[in-house]
Amino acid sequence: MYSLEKAFQVGPLRLLKRMNSKNACKTCAVGMGGMKGGMVNEAGHWPEVCKKSLQAQVADMIGALPADYFDKYSLAELEKLTPKQAEDAGRLSYPVVLDKGATHFKPITWEAALNHIESALKSTTPDRTAFYSSGRSSNEAAFLLQAFARVYGTNNVMNCSYYCHQASGVALKMAFGTGTATVELEDLTRCDLVVLLGANPASNHPRLMTQLANLRARGGRIIVVNPVRESPLESFHVPSQIKSLFFGTKIASTYIQPLPGGDVAFLVGVLKSLIEKRRVDNEFIDNNAEGAAEVLNYARNSDWSDLVTNSGTTKEEMEECADIIYDSKRTIFAWAMGLTHHASGVDNVLAVCNLAIATGNVGKPGAGLLPIRGHSNVQGIGSVGVAPALQDSVRQSLETIYGTKITDAPGLDTHAMIDACGKGDLDFLFALGGNLWGSNPDSNWAKESMARAKTIVYLSTKLNPGHFHGKGETTVILPVLARDEEPQATTQESMFNFIRLSEGGKPNIQGQMRAEAEVICDIANRVLGKTPFDWTSLRDYRKVREIISKTIPGWQEIGTIDDTKKEFTITGRVYHTPRFNTTSGKALMHPTPLPDPIKGGLALITLRSEGQFNTVVYDEYDFYRGMPHRFCILMSEKDAQGLNLKDGQSVAVRGEAGRMENIEVVIGKIRQGAVAMFYPECNILIKANIDARSKTPAFKSAPVWIEV
Ligand code: SF4
């Protein structure tokens, strides 16, 4: 029904043609589409499509913003738009600028916009500039962005994963030498157990649910670890399987609801149980791992009562999970931001790595580690260098190719970048897609900080509240083409390390939209000139792929993909043998001390609803959780009784950074001590409590207080 409604919004045949086009899905990183055809996954299975992919495609096909839109609505009015209202306003089809002190954005020519950007970059120093990318951009545009920034002279280059999966990258690199999944899609058909932590793929990665349903259908088991008892993780209806469609498929065989922030204690408890029952895979450890003694001793000497208190789970639950993992032949540990959005995010993921190593569940087919990544190319943009630090080999290659020395001065991460704005240390900020302001904790701090930057430039397909709240003295918004509108083929990397080739296509709407990569080449040409390197030559994406193939380890095949049309898995990422990309070739185990529990209040978890993807809101109701709108707080029966609150009652919620009024109480299946609200609206409550290693804020364990 929903699909038909959406189809008639833009024309069923038009939509079907777009969905069938050979372009990678624009939404999540599970990865569909590309040369295998639209709605086809890496294993070649068709149809693989979901509501999220439809929502993103239809959103790019709705009409353009009216020509008088910015005359009609003042900045003050635009600041009142909800994420959904901004999204539904229409496609950006002409450049606009908000001049210093102006009350309205106004249309501007591309020439004038590029002139402004050129003079802004030429009138400051590279260390006072920063370049950011969301995960929807292509590998080509992302590579050019980081290369231009570096040749221009700064390492202030970061991407949206600093606020989502950076902890996964840091921990996996510490344990195995590579920062991404150690499995491929097919491994989900080979495993007999999935431990799913801090994730709700039914809302954010729907086709992953098909893999989980298939696992249960072949007799496998699934342990879900999540403070919220998500109904689709209990039973899910797979649209492409008749029986499941009508009767549902049982997903979780075991459901554990720890306290937010209780993951390390829970995982150390599971390891402790394995040790006590002499079920650790010592042979695997002896042959393939280092650092085990300290980790095993820590678990062995941990007190069960501390583990129970800190995790909020029972000894019996930890023992049950240990038994299930022990009985499994091939286990995949999969997680999302429920693990990474903590001040102990890196330790949470290291504790998962320790458990996988201690049970020999890595380095063989059907077993390993799977961070469930967000945006469709968030992994790719990181892989091609959109990060503050570059591998030495990559920097040296860039120096050779671009004929210039590249600074090795440390670069800013996302939070540090906003902080630098606030201190008046940044004049220029360039954002490739995304809603940078909205993704920040402490929304008022982020707004005030960004307002101190002289120039902020956004390359976007549609409006979002970040354009109006994340503005500088001067703000320029440039309309760009979507993935299936690109004049040339582009590439994307899935969460399974698989590179897709998207054929592009004709624009969905008339307008002045340009290709992101071409805009970056034009700016580079204007600012850096044609010597020693002619940036305009890189308007040909094949040349960009040639350079990527010579620069980024494991990406050689991208250099010939235009001729071979052969999509590929990046080499050195998927481990089917226990030889890892570490100095010794062995996996490295790391101690994970119990984090301090949250002090005071209830523990707030920020959620994405079924009707949104990251900060983009398509529908304001949450189909699975029964949360009728965006300003709700999900609370347990026990906490509501304790606070003498009723379902539907309106309350105020106070956090360490702000306060929200008129929040509706929704009593639901969330564990006692935890409450949940929707991201990004509730970020205004959250103070930036940052993980020192991942630089990721604690969006999933922030103290809040309910006021009536
Ligand atoms: S699961 Fe992800 S990649 Fe697959 S169709 Fe849905 S949004 Fe696209």
Side-chain angles (χ1 to χ4, degrees):
M1 218 25 241
Y2 183 89
S3 313
L4 282 178
E5 189 194 308
K6 282 287 171 190
F8 282 100
Q9 212 181 322
V10 294
L13 293 180
R14 239 182 110 219
L15 179 60
L16 191 60
K17 188 161 175 273
R18 287 284 168 173
M19 295 300 288
N20 264 325
S21 69
K22 292 183 173 179
N23 287 295
C25 173
K26 300 172 188 174
T27 303
C28 91
V30 168
M32 294 338 163
M35 286 302 109
K36 291 181 194 257
M39 303 190 275
V40 178
N41 72 12
E42 284 157 26
H45 183 261
W46 182 94
E48 292 278 349
V49 62
C50 78
K51 194 173 171 182
K52 285 266 159 357
S53 59
L54 267 176
Q55 288 165 326
Q57 185 57 52
V58 168
D60 281 342
M61 298 171 75
I62 56 174
L65 279 173
D68 65 349
Y69 183 83
F70 293 100
D71 304 334
K72 214 162 140 196
Y73 299 106
S74 68
L75 174 64
E77 289 163 315
L78 293 171
E79 285 181 334
K80 295 196 185 89
L81 291 178
T82 65
K84 179 169 171 31
Q85 289 165 334
E87 172 73 13
D88 293 350
R91 287 282 305 273
L92 278 163
S93 62
Y94 49 89
V96 293
V97 63
L98 179 75
D99 289 320
K100 189 174 180 181
T103 59
H104 287 68
F105 279 84
K106 66 176 191 214
I108 183 176
T109 63
W110 269 97
E111 188 59 21
L114 293 173
N115 287 346
H116 179 89
I117 294 168
E118 179 183 351
S119 69
L121 284 167
K122 284 182 173 172
S123 57
T124 183
T125 52
D127 60 326
R128 297 182 60 81
T129 67
F131 298 82
Y132 170 89
S133 180
S134 87
R136 189 175 275 188
S137 295
S138 66
N139 291 324
E140 292 72 21
F143 180 84
L144 285 167
L145 179 77
Q146 65 86 18
F148 165 58
R150 290 192 158 106
V151 175
Y152 169 68
T154 181
N155 283 318
N156 294 341
V157 180
M158 74 298 301
N159 68 68
C160 56
S161 77
Y162 276 80
Y163 278 2
C164 72
H165 260 291
Q166 188 60 16
S168 304
V170 171
L172 288 166
K173 199 163 234 140
M174 289 168 69
F176 307 109
T178 46
T180 62
T182 68
V183 295
E184 58 189 7
L185 176 66
E186 278 78 3
D187 283 313
L188 283 168
T189 64
R190 301 173 183 128
C191 63
D192 60 16
L193 172 64
V194 165
V195 180
L196 183 67
L197 308 114
N200 179 19
S203 280
N204 302 304
H205 306 83
R207 288 289 61 76
L208 213 51
M209 295 304 292
T210 312
Q211 302 295 332
L212 298 181
N214 293 348
L215 169 60
R216 292 307 314 269
R218 63 176 185 267
R221 290 199 269 187
I222 297 174
I223 297 174
V224 173
V225 182
N226 192 324
V228 182
R229 203 170 183 88
E230 305 280 13
S231 57
L233 297 183
E234 294 178 300
S235 175
F236 185 77
H237 298 260
V238 180
S240 58
Q241 298 173 4
I242 298 303
K243 186 161 164 270
S244 177
L245 179 63
F246 289 102
F247 306 107
T249 304
K250 196 168 174 346
I251 298 294
S253 43
T254 299
Y255 209 117
I256 307 289
Q257 294 183 263
L259 275 170
D263 307 285
V264 165
F266 168 74
L267 294 159
V268 169
V270 173
L271 182 58
K272 181 179 176 68
S273 174
L274 289 162
I275 293 167
E276 289 184 349
K277 295 183 179 172
R278 301 182 184 288
R279 288 176 164 186
V280 168
D281 189 337
N282 291 313
E283 188 194 346
F284 182 89
I285 287 177
D286 295 345
N287 296 328
N288 308 303
E290 291 170 352
E294 191 179 354
V295 169
L296 298 178
N297 284 340
Y298 181 84
R300 187 179 291 112
N301 302 330
S302 291
D303 194 77
W304 275 116
S305 63
D306 294 342
L307 297 174
V308 167
T309 310
N310 194 293
S311 68
T313 65
T314 65
K315 181 170 181 275
E316 292 68 28
E317 285 176 317
M318 290 183 261
E319 290 178 330
E320 180 196 353
C321 294
D323 296 346
I324 296 169
I325 294 170
Y326 178 73
D327 293 340
S328 152
K329 301 262 175 307
R330 293 170 296 286
T331 301
I332 290 180
F333 296 86
W335 66 88
M337 288 173 274
L339 275 197
T340 60
H341 271 178
H342 297 274
S344 60
V346 171
D347 276 344
N348 288 347
V349 179
L350 284 174
V352 174
C353 297
N354 288 342
L355 202 48
I357 298 166
T359 54
N361 278 302
V362 62
K364 64 180 180 186
L369 293 300
L370 174 60
I372 304 174
R373 306 300 306 262
H375 253 310
S376 57
N377 197 34
V378 67
Q379 202 161 290
I381 62 169
S383 295
V384 298
V386 180
L390 272 184
Q391 293 176 45
D392 289 347
S393 63
V394 175
R395 184 173 346 103
Q396 281 142 21
S397 302
L398 291 178
E399 289 178 341
T400 310
I401 290 161
Y402 292 101
T404 184
K405 188 91 188 85
I406 289 185
T407 174
D408 56 4
L412 298 172
D413 57 76
T414 308
H415 186 263
M417 173 183 68
I418 303 296
D419 207 34
C421 283
K423 292 188 176 109
D425 296 340
L426 273 191
D427 296 329
F428 181 89
L429 212 171
F430 186 94
L432 201 50
N435 174 356
L436 177 55
W437 167 76
S439 66
N440 269 279
D442 197 347
S443 315
N444 292 330
W445 160 80
K447 178 173 182 169
E448 286 148 21
S449 299
M450 293 175 81
R452 297 201 60 195
K454 289 196 174 56
T455 298
I456 297 185
V457 178
Y458 292 104
L459 275 64
S460 306
T461 54
K462 293 184 288 303
L463 292 177
N464 65 59
H467 292 129
F468 314 126
H469 295 280
K471 54 185 187 303
E473 287 179 12
T474 300
T475 305
V476 177
I477 310 177
L478 300 174
V480 290
L481 296 166
R483 182 173 298 161
D484 62 334
E485 300 173 332
E486 284 271 1
Q488 301 175 59
T490 59
T491 60
Q492 294 75 27
E493 176 189 340
S494 77
M495 68 171 80
F496 297 103
N497 308 298
F498 187 77
I499 299 295
R500 281 186 163 70
L501 183 68
S502 293
E503 65 182 358
K506 297 247 171 308
N508 286 289
I509 62 164
Q510 297 304 310
Q512 303 173 47
M513 303 80 66
R514 293 188 183 179
E516 294 174 329
E518 292 177 9
V519 175
I520 295 165
C521 287
D522 293 350
I523 294 170
N525 179 48
R526 281 165 168 265
V527 174
L528 302 172
K530 284 197 170 27
T531 53
F533 186 86
D534 178 4
W535 289 86
T536 61
S537 67
L538 295 183
R539 290 168 66 90
D540 174 353
Y541 298 179
R542 297 181 68 138
K543 289 220 172 77
V544 180
R545 288 189 270 277
E546 242 171 73
I547 292 177
I548 293 175
S549 73
K550 294 191 188 106
T551 310
I552 309 296
W555 287 60
Q556 284 66 29
E557 288 182 62
I558 203 168
T560 55
I561 199 169
D562 294 278
D563 306 321
T564 64
K565 302 290 184 240
K566 187 175 157 309
E567 298 170 321
F568 63 96
T569 298
I570 299 165
T571 51
R573 301 272 191 91
V574 174
Y575 295 120
H576 283 163
T577 61
R579 275 286 146 271
F580 306 100
N581 189 30
T582 56
T583 316
S584 63
K586 294 188 173 184
L588 308 178
M589 299 174 78
H590 295 80
T592 56
L594 300 194
D596 299 333
I598 298 167
K599 297 188 182 57
L602 293 162
L604 173 67
I605 301 170
T606 62
L607 292 176
R608 279 117 169 106
S609 82
E610 187 270 345
Q612 81 184 89
F613 190 75
N614 276 344
T615 57
V616 179
V617 176
Y618 299 109
D619 301 312
E620 300 205 329
Y621 64 92
D622 186 322
F623 174 75
Y624 287 130
R625 300 185 184 102
M627 295 166 85
H629 52 78
R630 306 287 301 171
F631 297 93
C632 300
I633 185 165
L634 185 67
M635 187 182 289
S636 69
E637 183 89 42
K638 286 205 177 108
D639 284 324
Q641 283 163 357
L643 294 162
N644 197 16
L645 298 172
K646 299 263 174 306
D647 196 45
Q649 185 172 344
S650 178
V651 296
V653 181
R654 178 171 55 81
E656 291 178 307
R659 193 170 189 278
M660 295 172 81
E661 312 270 349
N662 306 322
I663 302 298
E664 179 177 343
V665 172
V666 175
I667 294 176
K669 296 192 281 184
I670 186 168
R671 66 146 298 136
Q672 192 178 5
V675 287
M677 297 174 74
F678 288 129
Y679 160 103
E681 290 89 342
C682 74
N683 287 4
I684 196 166
L685 301 171
I686 300 171
K687 198 171 84 191
N689 180 11
I690 305 277
D691 180 308
R693 289 174 288 186
S694 68
K695 312 300 181 186
T696 302
F699 287 111
K700 298 271 188 301
S701 44
V704 294
W705 295 263
I706 310 299
E707 296 172 348
V708 182

